């Protein structure tokens, strides 16, 4: 399959960014992704919401999304137009939440270093690869398990369980 | 093939003889819950996808506990909408005179029983594992799918067994064993795993202290934490169980991915410094630290046992004039029991604020939010940047005895320093 690279602005975060930093408590009464996006990552730095734009790629370190189970965190990132969060590892609940709502994630265990905030980066969601320069090298991420691929293919968990229930009924 | 307690519970709920770590299964859920943060999203999804009713009204409840009683008009509207939606779906709602933190309420109501599979809409739902069930936390969409189907998908976790040995120093509680453990393994040290706690020091703990341990498994990245039920557990659940249950025990020869020995001889109370629950120090290393607020409560340490410990230290004493002291039990039943036992009077005579149940200050919602540069000593479970208020406020984590003693002294200290 020919590579399908999406180009977007790259932003970088460290290890253990918890969901309170991604979506602080005062904004948890908001419900739609676009409203949440106005405050996304403001618990890390109030400048983030103004920086992030559609198609951007977020590179994080270990244990991204640890802490609170608040789904408002991935919803805010999705609302901001983030094309993919690339992290060395994701905390389990955040990982499930993001997949369930259709925010693309890529697990890339090796550290990504030497990036400049706002520079271009490339991501190939089908191949599960990322790169910081147009001519590579392509960094290969870990392929998600089948169940996660199925949920993504259905565009989220609710359509997935509905499709399964319908299939079971007609069988 | 031999299996751990976690594997056995998942296998039985997945309709399987056995499961192995790393397998993906679909399992039935015995109990779930949500709150005023998650429920608007969860119930909104049910409406959006045309789900008319939940799988079983006996196995779900919702609490308005974080921003209730409404702290402003914005959250008043959220709470109002939850009342409307829980009415529409006929889901039991707990707030005001029945207010409680759901992770504690599920346990108190006897709906998280040994051998069961629990998936609550909150990261600290893992607390119930202290009673010998598989209990894990999830987000709003996962809970919506459970409400629709009664089932969920799981990756069978590898089990890491933590075997505690030795005798700790005075005033060391289950909370300290857990902070010590997270300090040792790190905040992703049990990433996606089942933490299984055992050994004489764990057996010696009161059930509610064991719950303080399993509560914080999420702070080590675990999927669940579990302690095999013993006579104490069974006595604790005997009178509260709302349905029949069958305790499950791991096979003695079951393989675990790792067994970690945790000697606690000479362990002092443990303090976690900002901004990670794993950033721990022995109490003696940080004594004298300046404080602006002391908070005793949260789903971790808002149990009756914790209220009694705090009262035993505050009795006949006054809190220092240089800080604010806030005491909040986890459930209305505990709040009421504090009145009946005279604990409420002890707290008030000591000069502490004693509130009805709410998450409030634990999550920086209300009832004690921190200003820039302020520092709170808290019996809650996490201290990430801005957790209790301003991004540049600080949270130190500790056990209730240390919190109560520090409230009296006006700076960080232990009960023996009074
Ligand atoms: S007390 Fe704190 S940790 Fe527990 S459920 Fe409430 S906000 Fe979450």
């Amino acid at each position: 399959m020919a590579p399908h690279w999406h180009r977007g602005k790259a932003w970088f975060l460290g290890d253990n960014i918890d969901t309170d930093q991604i979506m602080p408590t005062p904004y948890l009464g908001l419900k739609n992704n676009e409203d949440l996006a106005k405050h996304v990552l403001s618990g890390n730095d109030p400048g983030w919401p103004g920086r992030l734009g559609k198609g951007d790629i977020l590179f994080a370190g270990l244990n991204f999304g640890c802490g609170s189970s608040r789904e408002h965190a991935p919803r805010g990132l999705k609302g901001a137009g983030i094309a993919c969060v690339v992290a060395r590892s994701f905390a389990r609940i955040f990982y499930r939440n993001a997949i369930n709502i259709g925010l693309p994630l890529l697990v890339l265990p090796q550290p990504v270093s030497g990036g400049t905030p706002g520079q271009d980066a490339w991501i190939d969601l089908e191949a599960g690869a990322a790169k910081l320069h147009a001519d590579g090298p392509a960094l290969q991420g870990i392929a998600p398990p089948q169940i996660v691929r199925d949920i993504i293919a259905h565009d989220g968990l609710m359509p997935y369980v509905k499709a399964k229930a319908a299939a079971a009924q007609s069988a | 093939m031999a299996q751990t307690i976690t594997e056995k519970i998942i296998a039985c709920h997945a309709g399987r003889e056995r499961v192995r770590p790393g397998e993906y299964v679909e399992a039935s859920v015995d109990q779930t819950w949500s709150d005023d943060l998650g429920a608007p999203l969860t119930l909104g999804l049910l409406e959006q996808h045309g789900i008319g009713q939940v799988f079983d009204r006996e196995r779900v409840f919702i609490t308005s506990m974080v921003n209730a009683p409404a702290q402003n008009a914005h959250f008043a509207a959220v709470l109002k909408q939850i009342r409307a939606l829980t009415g529409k779906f006929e889901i039991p709602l707990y707030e005001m005179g029945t207010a409680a933190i759901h992770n504690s309420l599920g346990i108190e109501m006897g709906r998280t029983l040994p051998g069961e599979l629990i998936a609550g809409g909150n990261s600290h739902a893992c607390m119930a594992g202290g009673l010998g069930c598989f209990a894990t936390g999830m987000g709003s969409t996962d809970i919506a799918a459970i409400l629709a189907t009664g089932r969920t998908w799981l990756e069978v976790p590898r089990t890491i067994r933590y075997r505690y040995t030795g005798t700790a120093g005075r005033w060391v509680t289950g909370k300290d064993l857990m902070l010590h453990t997270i300090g040792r393994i790190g905040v992703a040290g049990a990433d996606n795993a089942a933490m299984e706690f055992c050994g004489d020091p764990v057996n010696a703990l009161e059930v509610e202290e064991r719950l303080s341990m399993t509560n914080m498994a999420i702070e080590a990245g675990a999927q669940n934490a579990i302690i095999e039920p013993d006579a104490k557990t069974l006595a604790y659940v005997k009178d509260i169980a709302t349905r029949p249950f069958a305790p499950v025990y791991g096979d003695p020869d079951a393989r675990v991915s790792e067994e970690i020995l945790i000697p606690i001889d000479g362990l002092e109370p443990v303090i976690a410094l900002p901004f990670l629950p794993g950033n721990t120090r022995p109490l003696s290393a940080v004594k004298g630290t300046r404080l602006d607020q002391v908070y005793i409560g949260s789903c971790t340490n808002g149990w009756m046992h914790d209220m009694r410990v705090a009262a035993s230290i505050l009795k006949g004493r006054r809190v220092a004039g240089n800080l604010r002291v806030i005491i909040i039990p986890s459930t209305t039943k505990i709040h009421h029991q504090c009145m009946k036992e005279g604990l409420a009077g002890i707290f008030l005579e000591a000069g502490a604020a004693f509130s009805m149940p709410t998450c409030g200050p634990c999550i920086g919602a209300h009832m004690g939010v921190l200003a820039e540069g302020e520092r709170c000593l808290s019996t809650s479970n996490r201290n990430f940047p801005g957790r209790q208020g301003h991004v540049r406020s600080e949270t130190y984590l500790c056990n209730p005895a240390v919190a109560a003693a520090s409230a009296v002294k006006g700076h960080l200290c232990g009960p023996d320093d009074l």
Side-chain angles (χ1 to χ4, degrees):
Chain A
M1 203 165 62
H4 183 85
W5 292 107
H6 159 85
R7 189 179 67 175
K9 272 191 187 159
W11 304 102
F12 302 91
L13 287 160
D15 294 340
N16 300 316
I17 302 295
D18 79 298
T19 51
D20 276 72
Q21 291 183 70
I22 303 173
M23 192 55 66
T25 298
Y27 311 116
L28 301 183
L30 301 174
K31 275 190 299 191
N32 77 59
N33 298 354
E34 291 66 35
D35 290 339
L36 287 162
K38 291 179 194 140
H39 309 283
V40 73
L41 278 165
S42 60
N44 176 268
D45 172 355
W48 277 116
R51 245 169 258 154
L52 300 175
K54 194 163 160 48
D56 290 4
I57 303 164
L58 208 52
F59 289 87
L62 296 166
N63 204 26
F64 185 78
C66 58
S68 164
S69 62
R70 56 188 68 176
E71 202 169 283
H72 311 68
R75 284 174 182 247
L77 291 167
K78 192 176 179 192
I82 298 295
C84 183
V85 185
V86 183
R88 296 185 64 192
S89 64
F90 290 96
R92 185 187 64 89
I93 300 177
F94 179 90
Y95 183 86
R96 286 184 77 112
N97 286 347
I99 298 305
N100 286 346
I101 64 153
L103 171 71
L105 303 180
L106 177 63
V107 182
L108 195 65
Q110 68 259 47
V112 173
S113 58
T116 313
Q119 73 162 80
D120 280 346
W122 289 260
I123 178 106
D124 183 338
L125 282 174
E126 271 108 286
K131 58 184 185 181
L132 284 187
H133 305 284
D135 42 5
L139 308 165
Q140 185 58 49
I142 294 177
Q146 188 60 45
I147 171 104
V148 169
R149 275 180 278 164
D150 289 346
I151 294 169
I152 294 170
H154 282 86
D155 221 13
L157 182 68
M158 290 306 284
Y160 169 79
V161 298
K162 272 169 64 179
K164 270 189 68 165
Q169 205 141 55
S170 65
Chain B
M1 208 181 95
Q3 295 181 95
T4 66
I5 176 172
T6 292
E7 289 155 14
K8 275 192 179 176
I9 294 173
I10 294 176
C12 151
H13 286 78
R16 298 263 300 268
E17 280 284 298
R18 65 173 69 98
V19 293
R20 290 195 183 80
E23 275 187 282
Y24 291 84
V25 298
E26 209 190 280
S28 61
V29 174
D30 290 312
Q31 185 72 47
T32 189
W33 53 76
S34 185
D35 54 43
D36 48 321
L37 302 187
L41 302 179
T42 297
L43 300 179
L45 282 165
L46 295 189
E47 288 199 303
Q48 183 191 330
H49 290 277
I51 313 277
Q53 58 185 33
V54 300
F55 77 108
D56 184 345
R57 289 199 296 270
E58 306 277 298
R59 294 176 186 274
V60 51
F61 63 86
I62 289 174
T63 61
S64 282
M65 62 180 206
V66 175
N67 289 300
Q71 52 147 311
N72 59 32
H74 171 68
F75 284 108
V78 173
L79 301 179
K80 180 180 168 190
Q81 194 206 9
I82 291 172
R83 280 190 286 273
L85 286 173
T86 49
K88 177 180 161 190
F89 287 101
E90 297 181 63
I91 297 171
L93 172 67
Y94 296 84
E95 61 168 352
M96 301 302 124
T98 57
I101 303 172
H102 47 22
N103 300 321
S104 315
L105 185 64
I107 291 169
E108 185 183 271
M109 292 197 301
R111 285 153 172 255
T112 65
L113 298 162
E116 291 193 331
L117 192 144
I118 312 299
N122 186 277
S123 65
H124 294 97
C126 55
M127 173 160 67
L131 299 180
C133 46
F134 174 89
T136 194
M138 292 181 180
S140 304
T141 302
D142 267 321
I143 300 304
I146 292 170
L147 291 186
T149 66
R151 301 175 73 76
T152 193
W153 68 272
L154 298 167
E155 178 183 357
V156 180
R158 70 191 194 282
T159 292
I160 307 176
R161 185 172 290 148
Y162 299 84
R163 187 178 294 283
Y164 296 82
T165 63
T167 316
R170 224 173 146 221
W171 303 111
V172 170
T173 67
K175 175 71 165 288
D176 301 283
L177 299 193
M178 195 58 188
L179 286 172
H180 177 62
T181 304
I182 300 167
R184 211 177 119 176
I185 66 173
V187 291
D191 183 27
N192 229 343
M195 300 178 94
E196 190 180 304
F197 301 130
C198 66
D200 292 338
V202 176
N203 298 336
L205 294 176
E206 296 297 327
V207 170
E208 291 179 351
E209 284 191 70
R210 297 179 190 172
L211 295 171
S212 302
M213 289 185 76
T214 48
N215 177 284
M216 291 191 66
I218 183 69
E219 260 58 68
Q223 180 168 169
N224 71 309
I226 198 158
I227 299 171
E228 293 210 336
D230 63 3
K232 277 190 212 173
T233 321
L234 297 176
Y236 191 86
V237 298
K238 186 169 70 81
D239 296 327
I240 52 178
T242 49
R243 50 192 177 231
F245 63 95
V248 171
Y249 300 90
D251 296 318
D253 53 340
R255 282 238 302 270
V256 294
S257 84
E258 212 180 332
E259 176 156 320
I260 298 179
L261 212 60
I262 311 235
I264 59 161
D265 284 308
L267 185 72
E268 302 176 35
V270 182
I271 313 295
L273 273 52
F275 290 99
L276 285 176
N279 187 18
T280 56
R281 304 280 189 284
L283 170 63
S284 58
V286 288
K287 271 190 191 173
T289 301
R290 172 191 68 83
L291 302 169
D292 301 294
Q293 181 168 301
V294 171
Y295 162 51
I296 301 175
S298 86
C299 55
T300 318
N301 280 124
W303 290 107
M304 198 58 219
H305 178 78
D306 302 315
M307 295 296 124
R308 290 185 184 129
V309 168
S312 75
I313 290 164
L314 291 172
K315 187 166 186 182
R317 295 190 165 109
R318 290 283 302 172
V319 305
N322 61 316
L323 42 67
R324 311 180 291 272
V325 181
I326 303 164
I327 303 177
I328 309 183
S330 299
T331 72
T332 295
K333 198 167 157 199
I334 299 169
H335 192 233
H336 195 185
Q337 186 66 22
C338 286
M339 310 289 289
K340 289 198 264 192
E341 284 183 26
L343 273 46
I346 291 171
F347 297 147
L348 295 173
E349 276 157 31
F354 179 62
S355 159
M356 65 168 285
T358 173
C359 295
C362 168
I363 188 170
H366 62 151
M367 289 293 300
V369 179
L370 302 180
E372 179 169 12
E374 283 195 322
R375 183 180 293 147
C376 178
L377 180 66
S378 172
T379 67
S380 57
N381 42 50
R382 49 176 68 128
N383 57 352
F384 297 109
R387 171 66 178 180
Q388 294 194 291
H390 194 280
V391 180
R392 276 180 295 280
S393 61
E394 294 185 354
T395 297
Y396 283 50
L397 304 174
C398 72
N399 77 35
V402 168
S406 303
V408 172
K409 268 276 194 212
H411 55 73
L412 229 172
C413 73
D416 292 335
D417 298 314
L418 296 181

